[in-house]
Amino acid sequence: MDGEKIKDSAMDLVLNVADYYFFTPYVYPASWPEDGALRQIISLLVVTNLGAAVLYLGLGAISYYFIFDHNLMKHPHFLENQVWREIKYAMTSLPVISIPTVALFFTEVRGYSKLYDHVADSPLGWPGLFLSMISFLFFTDMCIYWIHRFLHHKLIYKLFHKPHHIWKIPTPFASHAFHPVDGFLQGMPYHIYPFLFPLHKVLYLALYVFVNIWTISIHDGDYRVPGALTSVINGSAHHTDHHLFFDYNYGQYFTLWDRLGGSYRHPSALMGKGPHDLIRKLQAEGKLGNDEANVTDFCEPRSKET
């Protein structure tokens, strides 16, 4: 390839492949070097938007068709044309979210992060690689908890986070259906981590994919959680209660910070009072499809959401 080697970044792995197979032979003129700042920014915008759309639509579709229980669409809180509305909202937000995200990727590409290429570059070798994975999860979980809780503040909530709470019974496609400011703020810890701590490039990319999978999974309506992990892992059952009851279960992966912050709620779906239980109750009573007064036996008032 022409041009100087792109500097240390997880995104340089993606850009090098994109340049070699697509941008250099088919898009950019030979006079435009691969390490040019403007070219890198444009390429990052293309790659980031394409990657986000593929991950969201691809993983979301897999989850929607093979994991999500479509019976949940009978719930009184499920909106008309909700799936299409979730997808439309996400696909209009993701390009806006990509703008500040690309700014962070660009600083990584220019060599300002602590990302490294080889295990030998890790301060602790292979143990350091494993520890960085664990610390990434706990660091981002802590940051997202407090960012998420901040977004629920009465002065902030209506401006940025309320659109995500339209989906009281979310589908996998609700996973990225955020206001752009909300989506960027909650995604920021993932991008900040490699500026603070050493992290292998390939592991960073793998964790980025994992984050997308996890975000979809906590919106997928599969409320099963291994009994021993119910009080530790923040799964779909926990997060659905966040959508239904508003000020509980802010965490991303774990319940740790919800317990420390006094916002933990044991999932209603695991106590026989979840969305599926309500649907069965209304079906047995012949009331399914009536107004939301039918849900009062199962759902607490949402007085803090206005």
Side-chain angles (χ1 to χ4, degrees), residues 131-145:
L131 289 173
S132 65
M133 178 177 65
I134 301 301
S135 65
F136 177 91
L137 294 177
F138 278 96
F139 174 83
T140 55
D141 186 65
M142 175 188 69
C143 292
I144 290 171
Y145 174 84

Side-chain angles (χ1 to χ4, degrees), residues 148 234 237-239 241-242 247-251 258 263-265:
H148 193 177
N234 179 66
H238 300 74
H239 193 70
D241 273 6
H242 174 73
D247 52 2
Y248 299 95
N249 300 347
Y250 296 101
D258 279 301
S263 54
Y264 177 75
R265 175 189 172 93

Side-chain angles (χ1 to χ4, degrees), residues 262-284:
S263 54
Y264 177 75
R265 175 189 172 93
H266 190 71
S268 59
L270 305 183
M271 298 188 294
K273 301 186 72 173
H276 288 299
D277 302 289
L278 174 58
I279 291 169
R280 285 191 290 269
K281 177 179 182 290
L282 295 180
Q283 286 177 327

Side-chain angles (χ1 to χ4, degrees), residues 184-228:
F184 174 70
L185 288 177
Q186 294 205 58
M188 190 165 57
Y190 308 125
H191 306 298
I192 293 298
Y193 181 93
F195 287 95
L196 301 176
F197 309 102
L199 185 63
H200 194 285
K201 293 180 184 180
V202 175
L203 179 58
Y204 183 38
L205 290 174
L207 287 169
Y208 185 78
V209 174
F210 169 78
V211 163
N212 279 272
I213 293 173
W214 188 272
T215 302
I216 289 171
S217 76
I218 61 175
H219 294 86
D220 67 9
D222 185 348
Y223 304 142
R224 295 171 296 179
V225 182

Side-chain angles (χ1 to χ4, degrees), residues 251-262:
Q252 180 75 348
Y253 317 112
F254 311 113
T255 63
L256 173 63
W257 283 98
D258 279 301
R259 292 182 180 280
L260 293 175

Side-chain angles (χ1 to χ4, degrees), residues 53-68 70 83 86-87 171-176 212 216 220:
V54 169
L55 283 173
Y56 168 65
L57 294 174
L59 295 173
I62 291 171
S63 181
Y64 178 74
Y65 287 110
F66 297 103
I67 299 175
F68 178 69
H70 289 68
V83 173
E86 289 170 341
I87 294 172
T171 79
F173 292 112
S175 59
H176 293 62
N212 279 272
I216 289 171
D220 67 9

